[in-house]
Amino acid sequence: METQAQFLNRTKWWREAKFGMFIHWGIYSVPADNRRKGGGTAVAEWYLSNQQVQVADYAKFAAQFNPVKFNARQWVSLAKEAGMKYIVITSKHHDGFCMFDTKLTDYNIVKASPYGRDPMKDLAAECRRQGIKLCFYYSIMDWHHPDYLPRRPWEGDVRPATGANMDRYIDYMKGQIKELLTNYGPIGILWFDGQWEHDGLRLRSPEVNRFIRSLQPNIIINDRNHEPQDYATPEQFIPANALPAGRLWETCMTMNDTWGYAKDDHNWKSSSELIQKLTDILHKGGNFLLNVGPTAEGEIPAPSVERLREVGEWMKKHGEAVYGTTASPIKRLGFDGRCASKGKTLYVFAFNLGNPLALPKAESGRLASARWLTTGERISVANGELSYPKEMHWAATVARLDYDRPPTFAPFRINVSEDGSYLLRAMDAELNGRALQYEIGRGHDNIGYWSDPKDYVSWQLGGPSSGEYEVEIKLACPASDAGATYTVGVENGDRISGVVPATGSWIEPKSFVLGRIKIGSQNPVISVRIERIGKGAAMNLWSVKLTPK
C-alpha cells in the first residue's frame, strides 16, 4: 500500500508542472470533418461514428495518411515555448488505429500508412532532449479490433460479433500497454479514455492498473478506467472549486470545438481567454491540459501555434506564479481575477480595471512586501486594497504578495441580499465527498454526479441570519432516477425533508418550495444531504434560496 508521502513524491513533478499539451492525432485528420450524418457537428476524431462509416471503408484513410511535415523537434519546442511541461499524445484513439510501432496489429502508422515510421520514437527522443515529460493517451474503446464489443449499430451483418471475446481484447490491450511502457523510456502518465461501454470488472481495471505499475512504478494513471487512481479529469469545463479531500485534477480542453483536426472548425478561443482559464484552474488547484489537433501532413494548425506563442510570452514573465502553486486560500475575490498560493507567497491575477483590487484581511500572516510581476512596480496597500499598476496586461496582470508566514483567510461566506434572502448557488457550494462535481456549460450550472448518499454540499452564511426562512430548491432529474429523499437545513439544527421529483431531464431544472426552517445561530452552515438514492443519482442541484418570513 502506497503511503501519502510516497504518493506526493510520485506525483510531485505533475503537481508542479500545472500546464501540459494534449495532442489528438490520427487518420481521422485525413477527412478532417466534424459533421454528423444527417446534419449537425461533433468532434472530428469521431468521424467513423459521426458518419456511420463501415470499419473497412474508414480503414482506407490509413493509405492516405502520410505526415511528411511532422517534426518532433518543432512540436516539443512549441510546447516548451508555451510554458508546458508535459505532452499527452494519442497512441490509439477509439478508431483503433495505432500511432506507434505495435507488433500486435498491422493497423498502425508504420505498416498501414505510406509514412512507414514511428513518430512516438521521435517524440520520445525529443522530449528527453528538451526536458518535457512524454505521456500516452490510450483508448480502451476500439471500433476496429474484432474482439472489442459492442459493435456499432450501423454495422449490421457486415461485422458480426460471433466469436468476439472481450477477455482476449483486454489481453491485447495489455500487450500494447506493455509496448508503450517498455519501448519509449520513462512515461509520465497513462491517460485512459473510452471506458464507458463496460464496467471496471469487465475491463479488468484493477488487474490492468497493477500491470501498468509493475512496468513503470512511478507512472501516474488517470481516472478513466473505472478506478479513481491518481487524479480526476474534468473535460471541457473547470470545476467551481477545488475538488473535495484534496483530490488531484486536470481540466482537458480544446482551443476550438474539436479535438482532432477539423478543416471547418474556426471557433477559436482567444489567447487571453486561454490564459484566464489557466489562472482559474490554478486558483482551484488543478492542472490545465490544452489540446492541439495536427493535420494529416503532420503540422499543428497556425491558429493553435499563434495562441500557444502568445500564452508563452505571458508565461515567460509570470511562470513563477504558475509552476508549483497550490489552490488559493481565498475562495472568492471581490474583483475580476484569481489567486494562487506558494508557501508564504500569494499570486493575484487581475483581469481588468473594474472593481477595486481589495483582498480580505488575513487571519494569520502579515503582508511583508508586494509588487507587480508584470511591470516590476511596488504595490502600495491601503485598507487591504492594492494600487493599480501603470499598465495592465491584456490577459492577466500578476501581483506577488509575500507574507511572513503562509497566510490564512476566513472561509467564504454567502452574504445576505438587499431583501434579506440568501441565494446558495451550485458554484459557491463546498462539495463534501468524492463523487460530486460542479458542471457548467451545455445546459449545466449545477452540482451533479450525486451517486453516493454520503456526499453532501454546504454553504456558510455571512452576517445576521436568525429567524424563520422559506426554503426553495432548484433541481433537475429525469423520471428514470427520480425518488431520492433528501434534507435541507442547518447543520446540527433545523432541517426539512424533500423527495426528488421528475423534472424532464438532467438539464431541465424546476424550483420547489419545501417549507420553512428556523435559523438561530450566527454564520450557520446550510447543507443539502441525501437520505436515500433510489437509482443512479439523486439529483442535479442548481441552487437553494432562503427567504425570510
Side-chain angles (χ1 to χ4, degrees), residues 255 285 332 433 511:
M255 286 197 213
R332 294 281 185 273
S511 295

Side-chain angles (χ1 to χ4, degrees), residues 1-8 10 213 217 230:
M1 177 70 73
E2 185 178 49
T3 67
Q4 180 66 8
Q6 289 169 330
F7 172 78
L8 291 175
R10 181 168 56 82
R213 298 195 188 283
D230 296 317

